[in-house]
Amino acid sequence: MSSPTPARETTGPLAGIRILEVGTMLAGPYAAMLLADLGAEVTKIEPAGGEISRGVSDSYFASLNRNKSSICLDLNSPAGQQRLGELAANAHALLVNLKPSAIRRLGLTYDALSQYNDKIVCVAITGFGLDGGDDPAFDYVVQAGVGIAALTGDPDGPPTLPGYSSADNSTGMSAALGLLAKIVSGSGGQVDVSLRDVMFSQLNYHAAAYLNDGVEPQRRPYGAHSYYVPAQLFPTADGFLALFITHDGFWKSFAKEAGIDGFETMTQRVARREEVLAAVTSALATDTAASWEGRLRPLGVPAAAVRSLPEALEATPEVVVQAGDMRLVGSPIRVWGYQPDYRPPPTLEG
């Protein structure tokens, strides 16, 4: 018997939580938007003329700033600082992403704002930490500096960056988690989240293998996994297929469907990697990527045809929401019984 559908909540799980955002471009605004989607009241503090990402495009700004209100303040002026203090007095948290010197100069730390509210949580997103200096720390620069670009791409080609801002987005999620954790603790204070630290954290098993076993990560063709075989992209008769065999049960089902004998255990497949990859490549060449996906999914084998973003969005209309005039990808956090009321990004208000 299926479980009953929970009653729809009229307010989000973060209803009543008031957050100030001094965000720019991506990491900070994305963190605050995730919280706003869950019902938090987010006020975006912008300079005269608006936050810089308003000048990128309307769709760019909307993708990171729906469900917020906005106020323009000159934080370099006494009047702006006074208004900031008034807002902080009634806020649960402030989230900022600027370089450390600007965060301190504009009074956007717990040390500065606790005089107005000793329960406020101040979250700083920076490149290298609040004490890490002001060196430029944009997404791609950080990915290059911590080893991600060196890990990505064909072994015989140049280092490669992903086609989206993975460092900014990941850091935004981490900052939102840190903000909520500190609010739950019941005490105010400073939370310090850096792009560098987040990306090192996401290199978890690669870093552990090097630090403990001296194993240096290496690039493999078609993005092959370090530990699992076969787990990578494969060419097919038409298109590419991602196949991710992580245990022997998956292999048994796949091998039967593909007509491959042997290599029953992961230990064998890792030891005979090149033989396995040759057999799998030969088998997959007999059909298209879309067909293989259709054949393997019912067997419980992790596989997907490589799609473009437009193709993926067309195939998954349920992820698209309407926020005013904008069609956007909705919140990835689905709370049963609650459906966000997606509102358009804020217009500029003084």
Side-chain angles (χ1 to χ4, degrees):
M1 180 181 295
S2 61
S3 300
T5 302
R8 186 184 187 280
E9 297 179 19
T10 56
T11 57
L14 296 183
I17 299 297
R18 295 178 297 278
I19 299 171
L20 305 176
E21 176 214 306
V22 185
T24 179
M25 296 302 288
L26 207 160
Y30 182 59
M33 184 184 73
L34 291 176
L35 301 170
D37 286 344
L38 292 171
E41 179 185 322
V42 176
T43 301
K44 187 177 180 72
I45 297 175
E46 303 186 61
E51 190 247 297
I52 189 172
S53 70
R54 286 184 181 272
V56 177
S57 73
D58 289 344
S59 61
Y60 183 97
F61 186 76
S63 73
L64 298 164
N65 291 285
R66 63 175 178 241
N67 288 342
K68 303 175 186 178
S69 60
S70 173
I71 183 172
C72 284
L73 291 182
D74 179 5
L75 295 178
N76 290 294
S77 70
Q81 282 294 311
Q82 180 180 347
R83 182 62 178 138
L84 173 65
E86 294 168 355
L87 292 169
N90 293 297
H92 293 89
L94 177 142
L95 189 148
V96 55
N97 69 305
L98 295 169
K99 59 185 181 181
S101 63
I103 291 173
R104 291 191 170 90
R105 177 172 54 80
L106 296 174
L108 301 173
T109 64
Y110 180 75
D111 285 345
L113 294 177
S114 58
Q115 62 179 308
Y116 306 104
N117 177 1
D118 63 4
K119 294 289 189 182
I120 196 169
V121 173
C122 293
V123 181
I125 298 176
T126 63
F128 306 103
L130 269 174
D131 295 323
D134 281 353
D135 286 348
F138 291 89
D139 185 295
Y140 284 6
V141 173
V142 170
Q143 290 195 55
V146 302
I148 292 172
L151 266 174
T152 310
D154 189 87
D156 296 325
T160 303
L161 293 165
Y164 79 108
S165 301
S166 61
D168 279 338
N169 281 295
S170 299
T171 304
M173 285 190 167
S174 299
L177 176 61
L179 182 150
L180 292 176
K182 191 60 178 169
I183 287 179
V184 169
S185 78
S187 62
Q190 184 70 52
V191 177
D192 189 357
V193 182
S194 76
L195 274 73
R196 179 201 62 192
D197 292 355
V198 168
M199 298 319 288
F200 271 130
S201 172
Q202 295 199 346
L203 288 169
N204 35 46
Y205 61 84
H206 285 299
Y210 174 72
L211 292 171
N212 297 281
D213 308 315
V215 177
E216 295 188 29
Q218 59 179 296
R219 275 190 265 165
R220 298 182 185 275
Y222 297 110
H225 198 278
S226 300
Y227 297 135
Y228 304 121
V229 180
Q232 62 179 65
L233 298 177
F234 289 93
T236 70
D238 182 20
F240 287 82
L241 182 80
L243 184 66
F244 206 73
I245 304 295
T246 57
H247 62 69
D248 296 339
F250 287 158
W251 173 257
K252 182 178 179 180
S253 298
F254 167 73
K256 182 178 180 180
E257 181 68 19
I260 299 174
D261 295 321
F263 316 114
E264 286 85 3
T265 69
M266 181 60 74
T267 300
Q268 292 174 328
R269 293 193 295 278
V270 171
R272 301 169 66 185
R273 175 187 285 266
E274 296 308 318
E275 294 176 64
V276 172
L277 296 183
V280 173
T281 299
S282 178
L284 292 180
T286 62
D287 206 346
T288 68
S291 180
W292 276 115
E293 180 182 298
R295 291 166 61 178
L296 296 174
R297 284 281 182 90
L299 303 177
V301 177
V306 173
R307 295 177 174 84
S308 68
L309 175 59
E311 290 170 338
L313 289 172
E314 288 295 326
T316 321
E318 63 270 21
V319 307
V320 179
V321 301
Q322 194 77 33
D325 295 332
M326 289 289 174
R327 297 175 69 223
L328 305 170
V329 173
S331 174
I333 305 165
R334 302 197 178 191
V335 177
W336 279 35
Y338 169 67
Q339 176 61 46
D341 180 17
Y342 291 105
R343 304 185 308 278
T347 57
L348 280 177
E349 297 181 12

